[in-house]
């Protein structure tokens, strides 16, 4: 290298300034590209139909009208869909945790014949997405009369291969002595799993819960395929229908629906960003 | 550890095994079996041998669907990966402003595909913001979702917007693992920002890059929501990717056999991609192991 000490120092100075400029430029682009659409969604939802027809791209609403929200709430039983969606997503997430704990415990802590085969089996199910199984599952559930029920929405996701894997990994770092001590005290396996290890795995389990909840709250594919009945349909389906129904697209209604659909998820995300990131960046 | 009772590990695994069998493994086998039948869900299935596969290949449907899916995935993976990397490097600094902006980019990944698809339909609409902006600066515009030449690209662009935050987050996690001392040493040696990125950051980020590339490839291969909401596979099949084609065969044409053949082929590709993923991760990861000590 021919660059001497002073060259290096100069490079350092130059770097930090040009880097700051570059970062500021990136900040600006990001603000326009990623925050702009959200802003536009909200602005459109506060307009009235004549306003949109007259000047669709005008940046501000004349007055902040909540008419679109009122109309969406009247046209669609939003509350029922919302309750359906939250119920389904919560049930799936809880079921996944309830089943991942004992399975992860057996895979991480117990010695038995076929353990590595069982582990490979769980991992290989990660390869099989709902998009591959939905046709046979649909006909299977149809033959037992479960199509159009919450069973069809919840049961197929009862086991999460990813969740089982994450619980197993987390349990590997829990010392065996804790389990041995609990056994000495006469605790049964289920008691050890749910009441002693469960609370110790709280960070992993809450990451798993949030990730699974958000994923299934948002899911469009499975409820679309498995239900036709309004009683069990979920919010994403109802919001998507806002655009399909009736004459001409009334974008202020669609955007109001969009705000109603995404606001809860954005709030959950804002409150629990770290836990969600934990599950997303978990590597296998 | 020794189990308390020799049967207890099996009992603890039983519920998981039962669910996986009923909802993953048996359906996969059923799909393989159904692919040899014609079945409209109403009348009993009829055995036809390899006929479904022959039709898929012979009509060119398989090649077309595969080509479109690969094209869409290539654009999505390349652009979201590159953008995610650039954003990670630029936004990897302390401070509430940067944290907020990182959160904003990632939030698109957390919001539902339905909301994202509807929002971008409005922005790309003939009366929408994007068209108005192009017209405002005197650029030509077109019906982005209505023209077969641009529809798939428009969907890919929307998907890039949605998942760039995912790539960014993985790269940020990778950046965090790079010791600061390495950068300082390189800076003392007189390496500029680009050479530091090229010789310090990038080699250490390669495992993250392999992970991002392969996971988002598998993810974009399964694209459905954005298609169903924005284009319904049209115009003239321009956006009919694998999963949408399968969906259409079952629920529009009532051809379960044809759909099942498609599922078998689709699953084979997913397997292939996973092998690719394992290979890429192995090629990217154990660099420390090979480093001379």
């Amino acid at each position: 290298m021919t660059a001497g000490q002073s060259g290096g120092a100069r490079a350092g100075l130059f770097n930090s300034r040009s880097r700051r400029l570059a970062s500021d430029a990136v900040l600006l682009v990001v603000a326009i590209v990623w925050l702009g659409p959200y802003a536009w969604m909200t602005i459109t939802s506060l307009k009235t139909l004549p306003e949109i027809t007259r000047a669709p791209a005008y940046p501000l609403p004349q007055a902040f009208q909540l008419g679109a929200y009122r109309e969406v709430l009247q046209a669609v039983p939003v509350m029922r869909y919302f309750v359906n969606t939250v119920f389904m997503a919560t049930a799936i997430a809880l079921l996944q945790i309830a089943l991942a704990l004992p399975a992860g415990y057996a895979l991480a802590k117990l010695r038995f014949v076929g353990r590595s085969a069982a582990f490979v089996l769980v991992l290989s199910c990660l390869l099989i997405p709902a998009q591959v199984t939905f046709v046979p599952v649909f006909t299977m559930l149809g033959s037992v009369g479960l199509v159009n029920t919450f069973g069809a929405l919840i049961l197929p996701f009862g086991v999460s291969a990813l969740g089982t894997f994450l619980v197993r990994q987390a349990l590997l770092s829990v010392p065996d002595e804790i389990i041995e001590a609990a056994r000495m005290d006469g605790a049964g396996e289920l008691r050890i799993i749910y009441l002693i290890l469960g609370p110790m795995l709280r960070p992993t389990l809450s990451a798993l819960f949030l990730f699974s909840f958000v994923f299934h709250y948002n899911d469009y594919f499975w409820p679309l395929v498995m239900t036709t009945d309004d009683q069990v349909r979920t919010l994403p389906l109802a919001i998507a229908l806002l655009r399909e129904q009736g004459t001409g697209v009334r974008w202020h209604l669609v955007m109001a629906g969009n705000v109603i659909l995404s606001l809860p998820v954005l709030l959950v995300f804002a409150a629990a960003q770290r836990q969600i990131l934990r599950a997303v960046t978990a590597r296998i | 550890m020794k189990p308390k009772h020799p049967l207890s590990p099996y009992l603890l695994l039983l519920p998981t095994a039962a669910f996986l069998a009923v909802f993953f493994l048996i359906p996969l086998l059923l799909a393989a079996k159904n692919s040899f039948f014609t079945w409209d869900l109403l009348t009993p299935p009829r055995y036809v041998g390899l006929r479904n596969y022959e039709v898929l290949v012979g009509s060119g449907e398989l090649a077309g669907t595969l080509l479109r899916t690969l094209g869409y995935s290539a654009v999505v993976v390349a652009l979201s990966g590159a953008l995610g990397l650039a954003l990670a490097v630029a936004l990897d600094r302390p401070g509430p402003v940067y944290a907020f902006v990182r959160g904003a980019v990632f939030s698109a990944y957390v919001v539902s595909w339905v909301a994202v698809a509807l929002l971008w339909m409005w922005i790309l609409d003939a009366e929408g913001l994007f068209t108005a902006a192009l017209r405002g600066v005197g650029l030509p515009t077109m019906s982005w979702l209505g023209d077969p030449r641009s529809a798939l690209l428009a969907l890919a662009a929307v998907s890039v917007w949605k998942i760039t935050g995912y790539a960014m987050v993985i790269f940020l996690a990778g950046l965090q693992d790079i010791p600061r001392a390495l950068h300082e040493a390189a800076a003392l040696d007189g390496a500029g920002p680009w050479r530091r990125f090229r010789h310090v950051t990038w080699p250490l980020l390669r495992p993250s890059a392999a992970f991002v590339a392969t996971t988002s490839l598998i993810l974009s291969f399964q694209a459905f929501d954005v298609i169903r909401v924005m284009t319904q596979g049209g115009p003239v099949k321009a956006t009919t990717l694998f999963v949408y084609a399968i969906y259409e065969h079952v629920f529009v044409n009532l051809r379960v056999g044809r759909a099942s053949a498609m599922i078998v082929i689709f699953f084979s590709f997913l397997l292939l991609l996973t092998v690719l993923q394992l290979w890429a991760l192995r090629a990217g990861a154990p660099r420390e192991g090979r480093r001379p000590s």
Side-chain angles (χ1 to χ4, degrees):
Chain A
M1 289 292 120
T2 47
Q5 280 293 11
S6 66
R10 222 177 329 115
L13 202 74
F14 174 72
N15 290 346
S16 74
R17 215 173 59 228
S18 75
R19 248 198 97 174
R20 183 156 315 147
L21 268 177
S23 294
D24 287 348
V26 170
L27 281 184
L28 189 70
V29 171
V30 167
I32 294 170
V33 175
W34 268 276
L35 292 172
Y38 288 128
W40 190 234
M41 166 170 100
T42 316
I43 288 167
T44 309
S45 76
L46 296 169
K47 289 181 174 178
T48 59
L49 188 57
E51 248 183 289
I52 295 179
T53 345
R54 209 179 324 116
Y58 188 74
L60 282 175
Q62 277 169 348
F64 290 92
Q65 303 278 347
L66 290 175
Y69 290 88
R70 228 173 287 129
E71 221 176 307
V72 169
L73 290 172
Q74 270 166 16
V76 182
V78 168
M79 209 50 212
R80 190 178 71 218
Y81 287 123
F82 181 71
V83 170
N84 282 354
T85 315
V86 170
F87 172 70
M88 175 193 77
T90 311
I92 290 174
L94 289 180
L95 194 57
Q96 287 182 350
I97 289 175
L99 293 177
L101 271 171
Y105 171 76
L107 291 173
K109 288 295 177 198
L110 300 182
R111 234 177 306 117
F112 61 96
V113 178
R115 178 165 82 168
S116 43
F119 185 54
V120 169
L121 179 80
V122 170
L123 278 191
S124 59
C125 287
L126 271 177
L127 306 181
I128 313 175
Q131 283 84 347
V132 165
T133 56
F134 78 96
V135 180
V137 170
F138 177 74
T139 55
M140 272 166 48
L141 291 173
S143 65
V144 293
L146 272 178
V147 164
N148 265 327
T149 65
F150 277 110
L153 296 179
I154 295 166
L155 292 177
F157 299 102
V159 161
S160 150
L162 177 70
T164 311
F165 176 80
L166 290 179
V167 167
R168 173 195 177 263
Q169 295 306 91
L171 280 172
L172 284 179
S173 57
V174 171
D176 288 356
E177 286 75 35
I178 292 176
I179 299 163
E180 272 155 13
R183 281 184 180 173
M184 301 274 232
D185 289 347
E189 295 287 68
L190 288 180
R191 200 187 152 84
I192 293 176
I193 291 168
Y194 286 112
L195 296 180
I196 297 172
L197 297 176
M200 291 179 68
L201 293 194
R202 248 186 83 173
T204 303
L205 296 185
S206 53
L208 192 60
F209 180 90
L210 285 164
F211 182 72
S212 181
F213 179 89
V214 168
F215 182 87
H216 290 285
Y217 175 95
N218 285 335
D219 190 22
Y220 177 66
F221 179 71
W222 198 263
L224 176 77
V225 174
M226 291 296 152
T227 63
T228 47
D229 183 353
D230 276 352
Q231 292 300 321
V232 294
R233 287 210 130 182
T234 57
L235 196 55
L237 300 176
I239 301 303
L241 273 178
L242 280 177
R243 200 195 60 83
E244 287 172 22
Q245 71 189 190
T247 49
V249 183
R250 292 170 299 170
W251 285 113
H252 61 312
L253 295 189
V254 180
M255 291 303 119
N258 247 0
V259 172
I260 295 173
L261 174 63
S262 14
L263 202 57
V265 170
L266 287 173
L267 290 178
V268 168
F269 172 64
Q273 191 171 356
R274 194 168 301 160
Q275 280 92 329
I276 292 176
L277 284 177
R278 242 181 98 98
V280 169
T281 52
R283 297 196 198 169
I284 292 188
Chain B
M1 287 177 73
K2 219 168 99 65
K4 254 173 115 174
H5 187 279
L7 275 183
S8 65
Y10 303 100
L11 289 175
L12 293 173
L13 277 169
L14 186 66
T16 294
F19 269 92
L20 292 181
V22 171
F23 292 112
F24 290 88
L25 300 174
I26 294 174
L28 202 58
L29 296 176
L30 272 178
K33 183 194 136 220
N34 286 341
S35 73
F36 301 118
F37 289 81
T38 53
W39 185 21
D40 58 5
L41 286 169
L42 308 167
T43 55
R46 198 162 45 80
Y47 181 76
V48 291
L50 287 173
R51 182 94 189 99
N52 285 320
Y53 293 94
E54 284 163 18
V55 172
L56 283 176
V57 174
S59 65
E61 186 188 342
L62 178 63
T65 311
L66 183 60
L67 220 60
R68 286 188 291 268
T69 310
L70 282 174
Y72 164 87
S73 302
V75 172
V76 172
V77 171
L79 286 185
S80 68
L83 261 174
L85 177 60
L87 289 177
V89 170
L91 299 175
D92 183 26
R93 359 187 63 200
V97 178
Y98 289 96
F100 176 74
V101 169
R102 288 194 300 264
V105 176
F106 185 67
S107 72
Y109 183 71
V110 178
V111 165
S112 86
W113 278 100
V114 170
V116 169
L118 290 171
L119 171 57
W120 280 94
M121 280 185 89
W122 168 221
I123 292 176
L124 295 173
D125 189 82
E127 304 288 311
L129 201 57
F130 185 65
T131 317
L134 284 184
R135 235 182 252 133
V137 293
L139 284 169
T141 170
M142 61 196 283
S143 169
W144 303 105
L145 294 171
D147 192 314
R149 283 168 305 170
S150 61
L152 193 59
L153 217 58
L155 291 194
V158 172
S159 308
V160 169
W161 186 83
K162 174 98 166 63
I163 71 166
T164 290
Y166 168 75
M168 179 192 76
V169 158
I170 305 283
F171 281 124
L172 278 169
L175 284 174
Q176 234 119 74
D177 294 340
I178 299 178
R180 204 141 279 277
L182 276 180
H183 273 286
E184 280 157 13
L188 277 181
D189 282 346
W194 167 247
R195 287 190 34 216
R196 283 208 311 260
F197 175 78
R198 177 78 188 71
H199 295 289
V200 179
T201 312
W202 176 244
L204 292 169
L205 273 186
R206 271 182 40 183
S208 310
F211 183 78
V212 166
T214 48
T215 46
S216 52
L217 182 62
I218 291 172
L219 201 81
S220 51
F221 235 74
Q222 301 165 9
F224 174 82
D225 297 4
V226 71
I227 302 167
R228 175 81 197 340
V229 174
M230 292 182 85
T231 58
Q232 284 93 50
V236 274
K237 295 241 165 226
T239 57
T240 301
L241 307 191
F242 251 110
V243 177
Y244 193 80
I246 295 168
Y247 167 84
E248 217 174 36
H249 275 310
V250 178
F251 291 100
V252 181
N253 308 326
L254 297 179
R255 282 197 284 232
V256 177
R258 193 79 57 82
S260 303
M262 205 110 183
I263 286 176
V264 170
I265 297 168
F266 178 62
F267 181 66
S268 322
F269 274 102
L270 284 183
L271 267 186
L272 200 74
L273 294 181
T274 309
V275 173
L276 181 79
Q277 171 173 20
L278 292 176
W279 174 81
L281 289 180
R282 199 161 305 157
R287 284 183 72 79
E288 292 100 308
R290 271 187 265 131
R291 203 187 293 154
S293 46

